[in-house]
Amino acid sequence: MAELIKIFDTTLRDGEQSPGATMNVTEKVRIAEQLEKLNVDIIEAGFPISSEGDFGAVKEIAKKIKRSRVAGLARANPQDIDRAWEAIKGARHPMLHTFISTSDIHLKYQLKKSKEEVIKIAARSVARAKRYTPNVEFSAMDATRSDIDFLSAVCEAAIQAGAITINIPDTVGYAIPSEFGELIRTLRQKVKGIEKVTMSVHCHNDLGLAVANSIAAIQNGARQVECTINGIGERAGNTSLEEIVMALRTRKDLLRFESRIIPKHLFATSRLISKITGMVVQPNKAIVGANAFAHQSGIHQDGILKEKLTYEIMTPESVGILKTSLVLGKLSGRHAFRDRIKDLGYRLSEKDFQQAFDRFKQIADKKREIFDEDIESIVVEEVLRVPRRYKLIYLNVVAGNVTVPTATVQMEVDGKLLQEAGFGDGPVDATFKTITKITRTKAKLLQFAINAITSGTEAQGEVTVRLEEKGQTVIGQGADTDVIVASAKAYINALNKIEFKKQKLGV
Ligand code: KIV
Ligand code: ZN
């Protein structure tokens, strides 16, 4: 039987310590609700004494969250503990988390306290927290650079005072897996009463080892992992929740542990955090990066199309990503190209397919990545020679914070020049409304996304829109250095696709 590993999420506390990741109360509550949906065991909602804003956010989260425990962080002093309790006391399952440093470096330069004093403060703080709630966690900050006998003595004092969780942080991300595993094993042997409490670990990623260290700790007796979505957190961040959860799941043959996390919510949660914090997920990030399930090489693409197991150790669907993506480029073969054409909704004769494939290879020699927009233009304009019904001729937009956004658009529709002007809530909205007026179309905009495909303020922006009409959805793409023009191109591209489907495919 697999043993349970508790997932303690600290995205809202340590994660918020990432430079630039400050969130407001509404955003924090939204994240907490998503974390509860993901089924994390504990949500560390914040550090209530650090600011009025944090206090308010923790209080609000405590009111809203019903299933997960809600933890508030407090240094080992009465004011912090009382304030943290004030913030979390409304929670159905509150938890107080108090900490003090145990390394010689921190004692000498930061706390300026003796070892004896630190032991007393740890015990006193846990006892004070315990008066409020039985759920008290104690952390020995900078544990991995601490003297093991002293660390054991502090943990023992915290357990005697009533802590039910003892957390061992690698605060500065200094440990390596074999060493960290050994530390956890030694503490389990040395510390009296440790068998009665949950051992937790909290690893930072300064050497890129946070997930590996957490796994080593689990293999040596830790039963709780502190982590954050997308691995955000102080400096290089913390153990990434999605990585540790999927490592346990994917390698359950070796790691006989499981968590309560519902993995199909991982991708959406990652995107939500990225959107709110403005911290972009690197494309090659494990589990949730844009390339995590994207296969570029022809050999890999061929393998994936024959049998996914060839190059995928977990399915994209299991983490909530809808589909494996094959990035088409010059290394792609016929198999991947045929598959993409089918996905885009086109059925080609062998002769037409060959013509499209030859053209694709010519373009791929010049362009690093071939977008769906390129393939569609090969198929529709060059192979099937279907005239595009709608063309953008001219676009002028007036916008700003003192004027009503207005768009003037000139288009060619079935060979005729038409022009209109219209207002909107913003420049993109005004543009789309005016295009709709000219084309008299009824499509509904389902999704709109902008992506910078080159860097700098003069970057090429790529816009993707998803439109729906009578149950049919199409994706339109457009690229330009002006994002409003890119948006107009994407919208018109999607309208042409709807037209094409209606005329040629009868859908
Ligand atoms: O990194 C650390 O030591 C912490 C503690 C407060 C647990 O974040
Ligand atoms: Zn930390």
Side-chain angles (χ1 to χ4, degrees), residues 13-14 73 97 99 139 141-142 167 169-171 202 204 226:
R13 198 276 298 168
D14 215 320
L73 184 69
H97 176 194
F99 71 98
S139 287
M141 196 181 217
D142 206 15
N167 182 40
D170 182 22
T171 304
H202 173 112
H204 278 269
E226 303 199 352

